[in-house]
Amino acid sequence: MRPLFMLLLLSSAAVQAAPAEALKPMAFLAGHCWKGEFPDGKQTDEHCFSWILNGHALRDVHTVRTPGKPDYVGETIYHYDAAAKVVSYLYVENDGGFSRGTMKPTATGLEFPEAQYINGSMVLPYRVQWTVNANSYEAFSEMYVKDKWITQFKMVLKKQ
């Protein structure tokens, strides 16, 4: 019985491993879901974050819900890219689109510099800023269309 207890204790410690140093600015997200409403009030956006791979990566399961329509679902994996010395991510969605990009902490939250969303032949440059508060963060997303940056959306996501 004692070896089984020790094994359970060790596996529990591994699940709760400290995050990689570069991912610590994102630690407040882990273990929680964050939900917001799009400005038109017709859709909700929910992100659920969890540590994976002993804290070497952060997983974000992203779901946009629209009444009467199938959910739009995507997954992002954030990890530290030691060669580039930056936090990188890969986002893949259920419509076949994807993007790769980076994250860097700022004085007020997190910045996701310009990246490209690709779905088939469509390529859409975008960038995002998250301003962090005690139990929420504001996501401000812009896309590059016809030679200028335009607001895609601005939304407050609250800890659930």
Side-chain angles (χ1 to χ4, degrees):
M1 183 72 156
R2 186 172 196 124
L4 179 60
F5 174 74
M6 291 304 289
L7 182 61
L8 289 173
L9 186 61
L10 288 173
S11 66
S12 171
V15 169
Q16 297 176 12
E21 189 63 34
L23 294 174
K24 284 185 178 177
M26 302 181 86
F28 73 97
L29 297 162
H32 305 286
C33 291
W34 304 76
K35 190 173 185 179
E37 235 180 56
F38 280 92
D40 65 6
K42 297 177 182 175
Q43 296 176 307
T44 60
D45 189 9
E46 183 177 50
H47 291 255
C48 295
F49 294 86
S50 59
W51 292 117
I52 59 173
L53 305 172
N54 294 327
H56 292 287
L58 182 66
R59 178 183 187 197
D60 170 12
V61 177
H62 164 67
T63 307
V64 174
R65 292 181 177 89
T66 305
K69 293 187 178 180
D71 290 347
Y72 168 90
V73 180
E75 253 188 65
T76 307
I77 303 295
Y78 297 93
H79 67 94
Y80 181 64
D81 179 340
K85 296 184 176 19
V86 67
V87 172
S88 294
Y89 67 84
L90 170 64
Y91 172 74
V92 181
E93 60 167 38
N94 63 340
D95 281 345
F98 73 94
S99 61
R100 289 184 179 92
T102 61
M103 180 286 299
K104 55 185 179 179
T106 68
T108 58
L110 306 172
E111 177 184 346
F112 304 86
E114 183 178 341
Q116 294 183 334
Y117 168 79
I118 301 168
N119 194 336
S121 63
M122 183 184 78
V123 176
L124 178 67
Y126 70 96
R127 62 187 182 191
V128 180
Q129 288 277 339
W130 289 0
T131 303
V132 177
N133 298 298
N135 289 309
S136 66
Y137 66 89
E138 180 180 73
F140 176 61
S141 180
E142 297 177 296
M143 56 188 171
Y144 195 72
V145 179
K146 296 183 182 177
D147 299 325
K148 65 180 178 179
W149 288 101
I150 61 170
T151 299
Q152 185 177 22
F153 66 83
K154 196 173 195 177
M155 170 190 321
V156 174
L157 291 100
K158 296 178 183 174
K159 188 189 298 188
Q160 301 297 294

